[in-house]
Amino acid sequence: MTCSRESAALSLVSKGIGLRYCLLENGRRQIEGLIYPGDVLGLGAGLSFARQSVAEAATPMRLGHLDAERMEDRRTREDMMWLLAYENDLLAQWLATTGQRNAIEGISWFVHHAYQRALQADLLTRGAAPFPFPQQVLADALGLSLVHTNKTLRRLRDRKLFRIERGFVHIPSLPQLRAVAGL
């Protein structure tokens, strides 16, 4: 598996939503995570053993660069360690989802995850979370075909677990969605 390298500079996302993925040799991609305000890009950059992901904006984004001098500060290093631990936890969730959840559970998990990340970033509008992800992103994140993703989304919509319209996801009952996602 080969992936493109991000810039060696650390960048703090201050606005926008994106995704992180790895390109496989056959041209397919594996979505590895979502990017929201407060996330840092490039944490593994510059490490010779680190495979780097591609970061792509799903909405217009604003990035701020973190300078090397700031990294000398003990508090900043502690914050970076916390971010690395958080990223590791998120990656473990993604791995469990792609490896063990079926399509219904996986898509429910993805929708819930996007909602929670938007909530943490204070991006909810009238209870709805931005959802700028086309069906191909869900398929690539979960290792599903686009046809299977479409059919599963339709079944979940029919169960009224969530509604995606105009780039936002509306979730009538978070506990019900969490239960279907296996959370």
Side-chain angles (χ1 to χ4, degrees):
M1 185 180 321
T2 58
C3 296
S4 300
R5 289 205 169 267
E6 293 173 321
S7 164
L10 290 176
S11 300
L12 177 66
V13 178
S14 60
K15 179 183 177 189
I17 299 171
L19 49 110
R20 194 171 29 254
Y21 62 89
C22 183
L23 290 176
L24 305 173
E25 284 84 5
N26 62 9
R28 291 181 300 169
R29 68 179 177 177
Q30 176 62 56
I31 306 294
E32 301 172 329
L34 303 180
I35 301 167
Y36 282 85
D39 288 352
V40 174
L41 302 178
L43 285 172
L47 299 175
S48 61
F49 61 86
R51 178 208 40 80
Q52 296 299 308
S53 300
V54 175
E56 177 180 304
T59 69
M61 295 185 85
R62 186 177 310 131
L63 304 177
H65 294 285
L66 301 174
D67 60 17
E69 288 178 17
R70 229 178 128 202
M71 295 307 296
E72 298 299 319
D73 177 57
R74 185 175 74 78
R75 175 72 176 144
T76 302
R77 284 194 316 268
E78 289 172 357
D79 288 347
M80 289 296 141
M81 291 300 292
W82 185 89
L83 281 171
L84 284 170
Y86 180 68
E87 285 286 325
N88 189 57
D89 182 62
L90 289 178
L91 192 54
Q93 292 176 41
W94 281 86
L95 181 60
T97 296
T98 57
Q100 297 299 316
R101 287 187 169 99
N102 63 34
I104 287 178
E105 294 166 338
I107 290 174
S108 297
W109 177 88
F110 186 98
V111 169
H112 180 270
H113 178 71
Y115 183 90
Q116 288 300 120
R117 294 295 314 274
L119 178 64
Q120 291 169 343
D122 198 28
L123 297 178
L124 297 188
T125 302
R126 292 188 300 271
F131 199 83
F133 310 111
Q135 289 183 18
Q136 188 65 58
V137 167
L138 276 77
D140 291 348
L142 302 168
L144 303 171
S145 72
L146 190 55
V147 171
H148 192 50
T149 301
N150 183 284
K151 288 179 181 180
T152 305
L153 275 168
R154 191 174 311 122
R155 288 195 315 195
L156 290 166
R157 278 192 297 258
D158 290 347
R159 291 173 64 178
K160 299 188 184 336
L161 289 171
F162 55 83
R163 189 175 79 254
I164 300 171
E165 58 186 23
R166 297 188 181 130
F168 283 86
V169 63
H170 307 264
I171 302 173
S173 171
L174 273 174
Q176 189 176 15
L177 183 62
R178 287 179 57 81
V180 172
L183 295 169

